[in-house]
DNA sequence: TGCACCTATATGTAAAACACACATGAGATT
DNA sequence: AATCTCATGTGTGTTTTACATATAGGTGCA
């Protein structure tokens, strides 16, 4: 469960980088590396694992939540640019609703913690 | 990562049952089964896995965050009653702080989602 | 030219967290 | 004696996250 002596608590939301990706892509199309750098201020995480980030993007694409194309004609390494689909937008809405519920549970907890 | 077609989102807080346990034990000593029934309204989860609950309790005890004793003299199956230690109380405070940060990140996300 | 560095995309695998299934036993009810 | 609830646990598989490494184009510079 937890290794002894390591009770560092972070209280993170599971798969929070996923809605964060969708929100960034709703604002504008972007490629993976760009998203990687834009995520931390949105999630509050110091950094997001790049390996898993690319895996999530491809999983999202498999299910038609985003589409991608290789960006041609630009200098530097090839970039795969992602764009949000309408299905992806719906999923983002679901995430927002789930996050509101989650925040309410945290508030319930904190109210009780503070003795109210 | 996620099995295809299953993008059910719940946005749960990781290990949320742990601070919930600590909070319940701050209010009064209790045994596992009792805690199991008291958790759902506090965490918002429909139910908590009992197997993991007992494991968490014993892990907490190993690290001196709770203490336990077998309840004697009562009818019914033997009960192991847990009590919070001062170290456990400190950990609960850390959890509360982490949960406040987490809630703030969610708010940041939702504000941006709603376009503010 | 050689090498360090940044951008960019990816795979492999281990660890942590969570879910599902089952075992054991006391006591009450039918 | 069979079944139900209370109560405590173990075993094990799945999902999620973390850490490590691979590949490759392009830039700066000694």
């Amino acid at each position: 469960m937890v290794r002894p002596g390591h009770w560092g608590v972070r209280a993170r939301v599971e798969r929070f980088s996923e809605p964060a990706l969708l929100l960034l892509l709703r604002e504008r199309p972007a490629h993976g590396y760009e998203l990687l750098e834009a995520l931390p201020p949105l999630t509050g995480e110091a950094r997001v694992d790049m390996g898993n980030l690319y895996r999530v993007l491809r999983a999202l694409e498999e299910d038609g939540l985003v589409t991608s194309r290789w960006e041609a004609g630009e200098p530097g390494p090839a970039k795969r640019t992602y764009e949000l689909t309408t299905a992806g937008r719906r999923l983002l809405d679901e995430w927002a609703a789930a996050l509101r519920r989650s925040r309410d549970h945290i508030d319930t907890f904190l109210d009780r913690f503070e003795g109210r």
Side-chain angles (χ1 to χ4, degrees), chain A residues 3 5 8 13 18 27 30 35-37 42-43 48 65 68 72 80 94 96 105:
Chain A
R3 57 185 184 284
V13 173
E18 189 183 307
E27 294 173 356
L35 294 164
L36 186 71
E37 293 187 316
L42 192 52
T43 60
V48 175
L65 302 159
S68 81
R80 185 189 283 277
E94 279 179 51
H105 292 142

Side-chain angles (χ1 to χ4, degrees), chain A residues 20-79:
Chain A
L21 283 176
L22 295 172
L23 179 53
L24 288 170
L25 290 175
R26 191 186 68 172
E27 294 173 356
R28 74 190 61 81
H31 62 270
Y33 193 85
E34 211 178 338
L35 294 164
L36 186 71
E37 293 187 316
L39 278 175
L42 192 52
T43 60
E45 296 289 315
R47 61 208 157 85
V48 175
D49 186 82
M50 55 174 182
N52 295 329
L53 173 78
Y54 288 114
R55 273 184 278 242
V56 169
L57 284 170
R58 271 177 295 120
L60 286 167
E61 184 167 26
E62 262 183 63
D63 279 8
L65 302 159
V66 301
T67 54
S68 81
R69 53 177 158 48
W70 285 101
E71 211 55 56
E74 282 184 54
K79 299 168 196 175

